[in-house]
Amino acid sequence: MSARDWIDKDFYRELGVSSTASDADIKKAYRKLARELHPDANPGNAEAEARFKAVSEAYGVLGDPEKRKQYDEARRLFGSGGLRGFGTGGGGFDVGDLFGTGGQGAAGGGFSGLGDILGGLFGRRGQGSAAGRPRRGADVETEVRIDFLEAVKGATVPLRLSSPSTCGTCNGNGARPGTSPRTCPTCNGAGLINRSQGAFAFSEPCRDCRGTGRIVDDPCPECGGDGISTKSRTLTVRIPAGVEDDQKIRLAEQGEPGQNGGHAGDLYVRVHVTPHSVFGRAGNDITISVPVTFQELALGSTLTVPTLDGKVSLRVAPGTANGRVFRVRGKGVVKREGATGDLLVTVQAAVPAKLNDEAKAALEAYAQATAGEDPRPELTALLKQRSD
Ligand SMILES: [Zn+2]
Ligand SMILES: [Zn+2]
C-alpha cells in the first residue's frame, strides 16, 4: 500500500461511522458488516467479498486505538486539505517534497503502513538534524607548533580556533534579540512525538519544531535561527611536559557545542615540535652530542655539558672510545606522573680541518711514536687473506 493509498482510504466511511465514533461503536459497526458480507454468507458474490476485505482492513486500523491514532494523525497531516503549512496545494502528494528530498521520497515506494511512512520520513531527516534528545557536539581537530623546550617542560599556549559555537547575538536561542522562541504547540516543547506501531513504541522528532521543542518566529540575523554561529575563540591549552612531535592531545569537551543539552565534542590538538639546535629526544631521555678532541678522549678530561636548564660536569676517563654514551641520571624529561628521563651524552671526536705548524709537528711526532700500532688489526688480517 502506498502512502497515497493509505491517506486516500476513508476507513470511517468503510465502516459507516463518523470519525468521532467511539471504539465500541466502531466494533459494533464492524461486527454487523462482517456478518453481512462474510463470504460464507455470500457465496460467489465478488462485490461482497471485496467489501468484506475493505471492511476488515478498515477495522484492522480503526479497531486498534493506537493505529487509529496514527491514522487520524496522518490524515490530519497529509490528508487532502489537511496539510498544515506545507503548501502543496492539494496537488500530487509526494512525501519527499515535504522534506526536500526530491524523488527519493514516497513516489512508488511501497509503504506497508503509517509507521513506515513517518518512520521513513523522520529517519531520513533525523540523521541530519538533532532529535529532541541531547546530541553530543562534533570533535574538532587543530594543530599547534611549540618549540623543543616547551615540549619538554610543558607549556601553556593560546590557541585560536574557528569553530561553531553558541551564537552570541541570540545567546543560542535562535531568536532575533528582543524576541524569544515560543514553545512548540505540537509537542508541547518536548521536541518528540511518541508513536507506536504494533508492539513497537518509538519517539520521533517533532516535525513542526524540528525536534527542538521551540519555534522561532523571528530568526536571529547572525545565525539564521540555528543558535550556533562560526566564530573565533582563543583557548588556552595546557601542553603536558614530555609531549612528542606529532602527538595528539585530547581536550575533553572543548570541541563543538552539543545540542539540546548534549555534551560538547572533544578538541584534539596535534602538536608539532620544532627541533632544538643542540638537544634531541629519545622518549623521556634528552640526547646531546658533544664534540671532543682526540686528546680529550685519549688523555681523559672533564667536560662541561649543558643540560636543559643548567650544566653538568662529565668526567671522561683516559682512553674513552669515540661515540661512547654517558648517562646523566634525572636530567631528562620530567613528567608529572613522575617518570623522569636521563641526559644521554655522546662524545664525538672532532678532527681539526686545519693544523698550524706547531700542531702538525706535534702530531707527526705522535705518529712516529705510535708507528708500530695497527688501529685496525681485523681489517689487516682480512686484507692479508685476500692478497694470499
Ligand atoms: Zn543567533
Ligand atoms: Zn515540536
Side-chain angles (χ1 to χ4, degrees):
M1 188 189 297
S2 76
R4 178 79 262 182
D5 288 340
W6 181 280
I7 306 301
D8 264 351
K9 294 208 177 201
D10 191 339
F11 292 145
Y12 291 104
R13 201 177 54 207
E14 290 290 355
L15 294 181
V17 296
S18 80
S19 60
T20 55
S22 70
D23 290 350
D25 286 345
I26 286 172
K27 195 172 182 178
K28 217 169 97 185
Y30 165 70
R31 285 199 167 157
K32 181 171 173 284
L33 286 168
R35 264 198 310 275
E36 290 173 8
L37 300 168
H38 199 280
D40 288 353
N42 303 273
N45 185 336
E47 198 196 325
E49 193 185 337
R51 283 271 293 132
F52 180 75
K53 276 184 182 164
V55 163
S56 300
E57 187 191 21
Y59 185 68
V61 172
L62 299 185
D64 178 331
E66 203 52 54
K67 280 186 187 165
R68 184 184 176 189
K69 228 169 80 187
Q70 292 172 19
Y71 174 69
D72 288 345
E73 176 71 359
R75 278 175 27 119
R76 194 165 66 80
L77 289 173
F78 305 119
S80 45
L83 291 169
R84 297 179 310 163
F86 292 100
T88 61
F93 179 82
D94 184 342
V95 176
D97 281 346
L98 295 180
F99 292 89
T101 52
Q104 55 169 299
F111 287 103
S112 61
L114 183 57
D116 282 1
I117 299 170
L118 296 172
L121 287 176
F122 288 114
R124 269 205 303 283
R125 183 158 190 87
Q127 282 151 21
S129 69
R133 317 178 181 96
R135 200 168 69 106
R136 186 178 176 276
D139 291 340
V140 174
E141 190 174 331
T142 187
E143 297 179 310
V144 69
R145 177 167 286 281
I146 59 176
D147 71 35
F148 183 87
L149 291 178
E150 287 176 318
V152 168
K153 293 178 176 297
T156 304
V157 295
L159 205 60
R160 209 169 150 71
L161 285 174
S162 236
S163 60
S165 53
T166 303
C167 174
T169 304
C170 61
N171 288 322
N173 70 19
R176 183 183 291 274
T179 70
S180 48
R182 61 187 165 90
T183 302
C184 172
T186 309
C187 61
N188 290 318
L192 289 175
I193 303 263
N194 292 315
R195 299 195 184 279
S196 65
Q197 183 181 23
F200 301 99
F202 49 97
S203 296
E204 291 159 341
C206 171
R207 58 186 295 155
D208 287 356
C209 60
R210 295 184 179 187
T212 62
R214 292 179 308 180
I215 289 181
V216 174
D217 295 313
D218 194 1
C220 164
E222 171 72 24
C223 62
D226 293 337
I228 290 176
S229 65
T230 299
K231 62 181 173 189
S232 298
R233 59 187 165 125
T234 301
L235 201 67
T236 303
V237 176
R238 171 90 199 130
I239 311 274
V243 68
E244 307 264 2
D245 185 36
D246 243 22
Q247 190 176 325
K248 263 191 201 175
I249 293 172
R250 175 177 165 270
L251 297 165
E253 298 193 19
Q254 295 287 353
E256 282 189 18
Q259 286 177 26
N260 301 314
H263 288 287
D266 295 335
L267 173 65
Y268 288 91
V269 182
R270 187 182 287 279
V271 180
H272 299 288
V273 180
T274 302
H276 196 273
S277 58
V278 169
F279 296 109
R281 278 275 298 280
N284 286 341
D285 293 333
I286 299 293
T287 59
I288 184 171
S289 182
V290 179
V292 292
T293 61
F294 172 79
Q295 58 274 23
E296 280 178 313
L297 297 180
L299 304 176
S301 70
T302 299
L303 301 173
T304 301
V305 178
T307 64
L308 290 171
D309 48 13
K311 56 187 178 182
V312 288
S313 285
L314 194 67
R315 178 78 202 134
V316 177
T320 294
N322 182 44
R324 185 176 155 191
V325 178
F326 293 84
R327 182 176 288 269
V328 183
R329 302 250 170 235
K331 294 292 182 185
V333 178
V334 180
K335 284 193 170 168
R336 204 193 296 176
E337 311 91 77
T340 301
D342 302 328
L343 177 67
L344 304 181
V345 183
T346 305
V347 289
Q348 203 72 53
V351 175
K354 270 184 178 176
L355 293 172
N356 62 37
D357 289 347
E358 199 184 339
K360 192 179 176 192
L363 270 181
E364 281 168 352
Y366 171 75
Q368 281 292 323
T370 58
E373 294 169 22
D374 185 358
R376 42 188 172 269
E378 286 179 359
L379 301 193
T380 304
L382 190 63
L383 289 169
K384 194 166 184 305
Q385 284 175 17
R386 298 273 156 92
S387 62
D388 285 346

